[in-house]
Amino acid sequence: MIKQYIHKGNYDATELDGEWIILNTDDYTVTKINEVGGVCWSLLNESQTADTLTQSLMDMYEIGENEEQVKKDVEEFLHNLVECGLIQNVNR
Amino acid sequence: MKEIITKIGDHFIHIICDSNKLAEMFNVNFLTINNYNLKFDLSITIKEGYGVPFLDYKVDITKNNDQIVFRRADYLIEVDCEYKVATILVNNGLALKHALMNIYSSFIVYRNWGLLIHSSSAMEKDNVHVFAGQSGAGKSTVAKLSYPRVLLSDEATLVKISPNNVTVFNSPFRSEIEADKLEREITLDSLNLLYQSHLNKRNSLTKSEAILRLMNKVFAWQHSQEETKNIMKLLTNLVNMVPVYELHFQKNNTFWELIS
């Protein structure tokens, strides 16, 4: 089954000069992500797979090649967000 | 029994103290006012004879429907949820100072007024520069090295964060250097995070990095979701209006060349 991810709870996300700070008030943690991460974070309001996120980024930033590398980066980013307790796998 | 009216930041605070000895603390750095017709922002009753002398900084916080309780080995604070009426029980003068810092910090966050930040601050011309750091980072050292500039704090800085400007008030919460009489608020020009070093160097921080580094410089607050969100909001406004730097400084006054 293709893994789908979505925000795990309600968070306060603040954008500052292209970087994002995400406050998790359940665990009292803060996470900083860069601009592209912020785009992915916004899309994760609704459930996404590594493929749908990759496609959105390739369209948004007009990337014509290296799709495999983009997908690899997206998968790593999703893994990190799961580790930080910010998103969850909705297939579970 | 002694009755005192003091002003901290721009808040009027009414104090009833059952110990004349503890009440003397307010003679040193606190502004006292002889006007009993004022509308008080916060009323505090102080009682002596609680707990043991200072053990550590650990504060247990509990909240029920109508009261928040802050409990440390040497003090106990009971305050209503709107921060209007409080009772503070303390072991000694140090406990009273820390308890007042604790309640005032929570009070100004609750009101979205501003933050009490672990830092010293000094005036240069018409502006003020804040030097923040945890215990041992050099706040007092920098305060002493800033002589003859007017010091607004040597331990805890009162930072008011309004939608369009950030100002600093003279802080009564002092560690070593007594407060000058200064009643107006001063515009905050820069915030510097302290690192002792062999060379003077000042690096600009991004706003998001500044927020992350400042979070643990804010005095204790009750870990509720609402207050944590308030602190994030206040810190966001702060870094949007004031530049934040990493200041590596030698133990002499030459670091001021990087600032003024």
Side-chain angles (χ1 to χ4, degrees):
Chain A
M1 187 183 289
I2 299 168
K3 285 183 178 173
Q4 292 194 71
Y5 299 91
I6 195 164
H7 290 173
K8 199 173 168 182
N10 289 318
Y11 303 98
D12 260 16
T14 311
E15 192 199 347
L16 292 146
D17 290 347
E19 293 181 314
W20 290 70
I21 297 268
I22 300 165
L23 170 68
N24 174 348
T25 49
D26 293 329
D27 300 334
Y28 297 106
T29 60
V30 280
T31 307
K32 186 177 94 165
I33 52 181
N34 66 14
E35 184 186 341
V36 182
V39 170
C40 293
W41 174 256
S42 304
L43 292 169
L44 283 157
N45 257 329
E46 295 174 7
S47 59
Q48 302 283 344
T49 65
D51 281 329
T52 59
L53 281 177
T54 301
Q55 203 49 57
S56 297
L57 291 180
M58 299 211 42
D59 292 346
M60 207 172 285
Y61 291 95
E62 296 178 355
I63 305 165
E65 50 192 22
N66 293 330
E67 184 173 344
E68 274 310 301
Q69 184 59 48
V70 175
K71 189 177 170 190
K72 220 172 130 192
D73 292 343
V74 165
E75 283 171 339
E76 194 183 332
F77 178 70
L78 288 169
H79 175 73
N80 287 337
L81 288 190
V82 171
E83 292 279 295
C84 292
L86 297 177
I87 59 169
Q88 60 187 340
N89 183 348
V90 289
N91 303 111
R92 280 177 189 165
Chain B
M1 183 85 74
K2 197 159 180 191
E3 188 173 7
I4 300 153
I5 298 164
T6 184
K7 191 179 178 196
I8 306 178
D10 47 21
H11 302 112
F12 291 105
I13 299 180
H14 181 227
I15 289 164
I16 304 269
C17 188
D18 77 353
S19 152
N20 286 338
K21 195 172 149 225
L22 286 178
E24 277 174 24
M25 185 182 92
F26 294 95
N27 296 336
V28 186
N29 294 316
F30 288 77
L31 184 72
T32 48
I33 297 162
N34 293 315
N35 181 352
Y36 292 82
N37 297 318
L38 289 165
K39 190 170 175 284
F40 303 122
D41 297 288
L42 175 64
S43 295
I44 305 174
T45 302
I46 296 165
K47 294 178 180 172
E48 204 179 8
Y50 176 83
V52 295
F54 177 80
L55 274 185
D56 56 36
Y57 291 102
K58 194 175 171 297
V59 182
D60 283 324
I61 305 162
T62 49
K63 188 177 178 182
N64 57 38
N65 287 339
D66 52 8
Q67 205 176 45
I68 305 161
V69 179
F70 300 81
R71 191 190 304 268
R72 203 170 85 171
D74 56 345
Y75 68 70
L76 178 84
I77 304 169
E78 294 170 336
V79 61
D80 70 293
C81 293
E82 293 183 340
Y83 287 92
K84 289 198 167 145
V85 181
T87 303
I88 298 179
L89 286 76
V90 295
N91 186 268
N92 54 27
L94 179 73
L96 176 57
K97 185 179 84 164
H98 287 188
L100 287 171
M101 285 197 273
N102 185 333
I103 193 168
Y104 188 71
S105 173
S106 298
F107 165 83
I108 57 177
V109 169
Y110 174 79
R111 294 198 163 202
N112 276 312
W113 181 89
L115 299 167
L116 189 64
I117 296 178
H118 284 280
S119 56
S120 56
S121 58
M123 261 178 84
E124 175 78 350
K125 295 172 189 146
D126 289 328
N127 292 316
V128 62
H129 301 272
V130 164
F131 303 95
Q134 297 288 30
S135 177
K139 299 186 291 283
S140 308
T141 306
V142 161
K144 283 178 203 148
L145 292 171
S146 297
Y147 182 82
R149 294 168 183 85
V150 171
L151 286 177
L152 296 176
S153 58
D154 70 342
E155 178 181 20
T157 309
L158 267 64
V159 182
K160 180 181 179 181
I161 302 162
S162 304
N164 298 316
N165 70 330
V166 182
T167 52
V168 172
F169 282 81
N170 204 4
S171 173
F173 306 117
R174 299 281 177 147
S175 122
E176 294 169 40
I177 303 166
E178 279 189 22
D180 291 307
K181 295 271 178 254
L182 184 83
E183 290 184 36
R184 64 193 171 94
E185 54 196 293
I186 320 287
T187 304
L188 177 55
D189 201 60
S190 78
L191 223 152
N192 304 274
L193 301 171
L194 291 176
Y195 299 89
Q196 297 197 31
S197 169
H198 296 298
L199 289 169
N200 289 327
K201 201 171 65 174
R202 197 188 194 211
N203 302 326
S204 186
L205 290 175
T206 64
K207 291 175 180 176
S208 56
E209 192 59 33
I211 286 190
L212 292 182
R213 304 253 199 116
L214 282 169
M215 283 201 88
N216 66 353
K217 313 292 184 300
V218 175
F219 270 78
W221 70 91
Q222 59 148 326
H223 282 232
S224 73
Q225 296 194 337
E226 208 46 51
E227 285 208 33
T228 307
K229 282 181 187 172
N230 283 355
I231 288 186
M232 275 301 281
K233 229 176 280 168
L234 288 164
L235 281 174
T236 303
N237 291 343
L238 175 64
V239 302
N240 272 326
M241 287 185 273
V242 179
V244 181
Y245 303 91
E246 205 177 60
L247 177 66
H248 300 263
F249 73 102
Q250 288 179 314
K251 236 175 160 176
N252 55 48
N253 63 2
T254 55
F255 68 88
W256 271 103
E257 290 165 14
L258 299 175
I259 292 162
S260 40

